[in-house]
Amino acid sequence: ARELLSFGCVIVLRRRTKMIKLIIPGFGRLEIARVVTDYTGTHSFKGIVRKSVRTRLAQLGKLVEVHVLTIDTFGSARRELARLPLELHFLTADRRNDKEKQQFVLRHEPKRVAAFGNGTIDRLLLKAVRDAGGLAVAVDNGEGCALDAILNANILIHGSEQALDLLLEPNSCKATLRF
């Protein structure tokens, strides 16, 4: 394996697999290979993604796989996330989307996932990742954060930029989660 230092974290290249490695005293070792995230309210505010969030998503997309799972409440996800290195997955509005998100992450090795969400619909996604030993982040991006999301996360962060910085600037994650 070859290691590169980029954006303040170690990127490990193995068989074309990239990951972010975080070692957090007391919490443990995280090897994040993909981000699985909600969109509405987590990274967008009233359907709009700030330029600073787009920049961070682009940086993360160069480091790991990024999957955005959304019902797209405001109908803006395709436009707002265009040309970013991520995969956009639209959920069916008439299904149990909390279960859809959970099933998606369970197919993607949740121990190697950083999950982001803000709604009750994200609680099972966050719980699956947290329970598997990955990083589950509840994000209040200005539209609020459901108590069920908070209770199933490892950490609550105010602002999408700060949440994404947990992976881009790993010492901030270490300072919060160490014990």
Side-chain angles (χ1 to χ4, degrees):
R2 192 176 63 150
E3 295 188 357
L4 304 170
L5 185 61
S6 178
F7 302 110
C9 55
V10 177
I11 308 304
V12 179
L13 304 174
R14 276 192 202 115
R15 286 181 265 138
R16 306 182 91 177
T17 301
K18 297 185 256 183
M19 70 177 66
I20 298 170
K21 291 187 341 185
L22 305 168
I23 299 171
I24 304 168
F27 186 84
R29 178 185 186 102
L30 295 171
E31 294 183 346
I32 305 299
R34 64 193 48 85
V35 168
V36 177
T37 183
D38 175 52
Y39 170 72
T40 305
T42 300
H43 298 299
S44 71
F45 179 75
K46 298 183 180 178
I48 304 299
V49 177
R50 289 184 297 279
K51 183 178 179 182
S52 57
V53 173
R54 287 180 53 80
T55 299
R56 285 167 173 82
L57 287 170
Q59 289 173 336
L60 273 178
K62 293 176 184 174
L63 303 176
V64 295
E65 293 177 18
V66 178
H67 299 272
V68 177
L69 312 178
T70 184
I71 297 173
D72 199 15
T73 304
F74 292 92
S76 63
R78 193 176 314 278
R79 179 188 72 242
E80 291 292 314
L81 299 174
R83 296 181 301 284
L84 289 175
L86 54 79
E87 290 187 38
L88 186 56
H89 306 268
F90 292 95
L91 305 174
T92 309
D94 62 348
R95 289 197 186 157
R96 286 281 315 264
N97 301 118
D98 56 346
K99 293 273 190 194
E100 266 187 287
K101 288 183 176 191
Q102 177 189 45
Q103 291 304 311
F104 181 90
V105 79
L106 289 173
R107 290 190 306 268
H108 288 87
E109 200 176 4
K111 180 179 180 167
R112 296 189 186 279
V113 168
F116 298 89
N118 75 312
T120 302
I121 193 173
D122 301 310
R123 74 189 186 287
L124 298 179
L125 164 70
L126 295 170
K127 183 178 184 342
V129 170
R130 185 198 65 202
D131 290 352
L135 180 63
V137 182
V139 181
D140 174 6
N141 197 36
E143 294 181 11
C145 193
L147 182 58
D148 280 340
I150 296 168
L151 293 174
N152 285 290
N154 298 107
I155 186 172
L156 166 65
I157 298 290
H158 176 72
S160 177
E161 292 94 335
Q162 290 76 14
L164 296 171
D165 283 347
L166 290 174
L167 298 177
L168 295 170
E169 299 173 10
N171 282 333
S172 60
C173 190
K174 185 187 294 186
T176 302
L177 293 176
R178 75 181 324 142
F179 63 91

